[in-house]
Amino acid sequence: MGPTPGVRTVPLPSGEHVPVLGQGTWGWAQDPARRASEKESLLLGLDLGLTLVDTAEMYGQGAAEELLGETLSGRRDEAFLVSKVLPYNASRTETADACERSLKRLRTDRIDLYLLHWRGSVPLEETIAAFEELRQAGKIRHWGVSNFDPADLRDLAEVTGGDAMATNQVLYNLTRRGIEYDLLPGCQGRGVPVMAYSPVEQGRLLSAPALETVAHRRRATPAQVALAWVLRRSDMIAIPRAGRPDHVRENHAALALDLTDDDLTDLDEAFPPARGPVPLEML
Ligand code: NAP
């Protein structure tokens, strides 16, 4: 398995490379009228090398994982599958059961990257011990976290085995720049790539005038500028959700867009970076 040539990759701490642009699936498998388009989009994304596919047991209460299992049958080995355990399923014993359910829905024998969806009340020691057991059993290949703020990451670093975290998946886009102040430098210092979710702010960002101006100048679309902006950093993975093939093609083409200093200055003016610590935002 490996990403198609042409899609830039980033190394996980293990040294394994993953594509910097993946595919999200939140909200998929909810509307029967969109199902065929979602499946077509997923497969087109695979063809284009967007092989990192993000899902979660939470999405549609397993329905998104089921859709992936059904669609990827025969092409499983081309994908790098990311799924997530809910915090209230993340105890020492229940994590393994949740993982088994996800594996079954995904119709596979392993999850490539398994994340704790957000921090709950289960002690991190328990979840990490369960992740490590799953890893040794070959049920997951890497583990990571999601929605962890710098204090959560400090706590994780104290836990035995906590330094094996492969990524932190967090909200990041032009309108959510708080993580640049402290979370990103911390992850960068540890060699851990960050996975940006909702990189186009679920579509709300796309009519922002500054984005349209830059897009017009660069003969690109607002979505492409928004994605190229997230991917301007070499240690960042973006996982936009596109349930329409034309959106998948458009997003893939964003990989060829290099924003200039002028573009970045204009975007900074419209979407200023944080000047101090900002509580981590979640969607
Ligand atoms: P998003 O990717 O920012 O936005 C998705 C929306 O943007 C969809 O309505 C999609 O429309 C539209 N879109 C995508 N590409 C477009 C384009 N080129 N032009 C116009 N519209 C476009 O939001 P998201 O789904 O919240 O985030 C992405 C993924 O991150 C999720 O699907 C999920 O896998 C993950 N996530 C994780 C967490 C977490 O807590 N860890 C939280 C939120 C999301 P179409 O569907 O019609 O193409």
Side-chain angles (χ1 to χ4, degrees):
M1 184 187 74
T4 302
V7 176
R8 188 159 57 82
T9 62
V10 62
L12 300 176
S14 67
E16 181 169 336
H17 282 246
V18 295
V20 295
L21 185 62
Q23 306 189 70
T25 64
W26 188 19
W28 277 15
Q30 299 298 289
D31 179 356
R34 293 198 53 150
R35 193 174 178 92
S37 182
E38 290 162 357
K39 294 176 76 169
E40 194 188 336
S41 300
L42 179 73
L43 292 174
L44 173 63
L46 271 195
D47 292 341
L48 294 172
L50 310 182
T51 51
L52 186 150
V53 180
D54 179 77
T55 192
E57 64 168 335
M58 186 186 90
Y59 299 166
Q61 295 178 312
E65 288 183 327
E66 272 167 9
L67 183 142
L68 292 185
E70 182 184 310
T71 313
L72 291 174
S73 92
R75 297 189 66 179
R76 161 67 185 95
D77 291 349
E78 294 173 51
F80 183 94
L81 280 180
V82 184
S83 193
K84 313 184 195 80
V85 62
L86 284 162
Y88 45 84
N89 286 338
S91 69
R92 178 83 193 236
T93 51
E94 286 167 307
T95 303
D97 294 342
C99 183
E100 280 303 333
R101 291 193 295 270
S102 286
L103 288 170
K104 201 167 169 202
R105 289 189 290 259
L106 288 163
R107 302 190 195 174
T108 185
D109 59 354
R110 82 264 177 215
I111 290 168
D112 295 293
L113 175 57
Y114 200 37
L115 308 180
L116 174 60
H117 208 147
W118 63 91
R119 189 173 181 180
S121 56
V122 172
L124 290 176
E125 288 78 2
E126 282 200 36
T127 308
I128 303 316
F131 280 169
E132 283 299 333
E133 275 169 21
L134 285 168
R135 193 154 70 129
Q136 273 154 30
K139 308 263 180 182
I140 66 173
R141 297 180 53 247
H142 308 273
W143 64 262
V145 294
S146 179
N147 297 301
F148 267 41
D149 68 13
D152 296 324
L153 291 174
R154 280 194 293 277
D155 291 346
L156 180 62
E158 300 286 309
V159 173
T160 308
D163 54 358
M165 165 186 75
T167 194
N168 184 15
Q169 183 181 113
V170 291
L171 176 60
Y172 184 54
N173 63 50
L174 276 160
T175 61
R176 315 275 194 168
R177 298 188 62 171
I179 65 167
E180 290 171 15
Y181 187 77
D182 45 10
L183 191 144
L184 276 185
C187 289
Q188 193 177 25
R190 296 171 61 176
V192 172
V194 165
M195 200 177 283
Y197 74 69
S198 309
V200 300
E201 185 66 16
Q202 302 184 330
R204 291 183 292 274
L205 178 56
L206 301 179
S207 54
L211 205 55
E212 286 180 342
T213 303
V214 174
H216 186 254
R217 183 165 72 215
R218 298 304 310 277
R219 297 177 198 278
T221 66
Q224 288 171 332
V225 174
L227 291 173
W229 181 85
V230 169
L231 294 175
R232 75 199 185 289
R233 297 181 58 109
S234 59
D235 55 353
M236 188 68 67
I237 300 161
I239 47 166
R241 164 177 49 107
R244 282 175 38 178
D246 57 327
H247 285 165
V248 175
R249 282 189 197 285
E250 186 179 321
N251 295 350
H252 172 258
L255 289 164
L257 178 61
D258 270 329
L259 296 177
T260 63
D261 289 347
D262 282 351
D263 297 335
L264 295 174
T265 303
D266 290 351
L267 292 169
D268 275 346
E269 256 173 46
F271 306 99
R275 289 167 178 271
V278 178
L280 182 65
E281 298 174 284
M282 285 174 70
L283 282 180

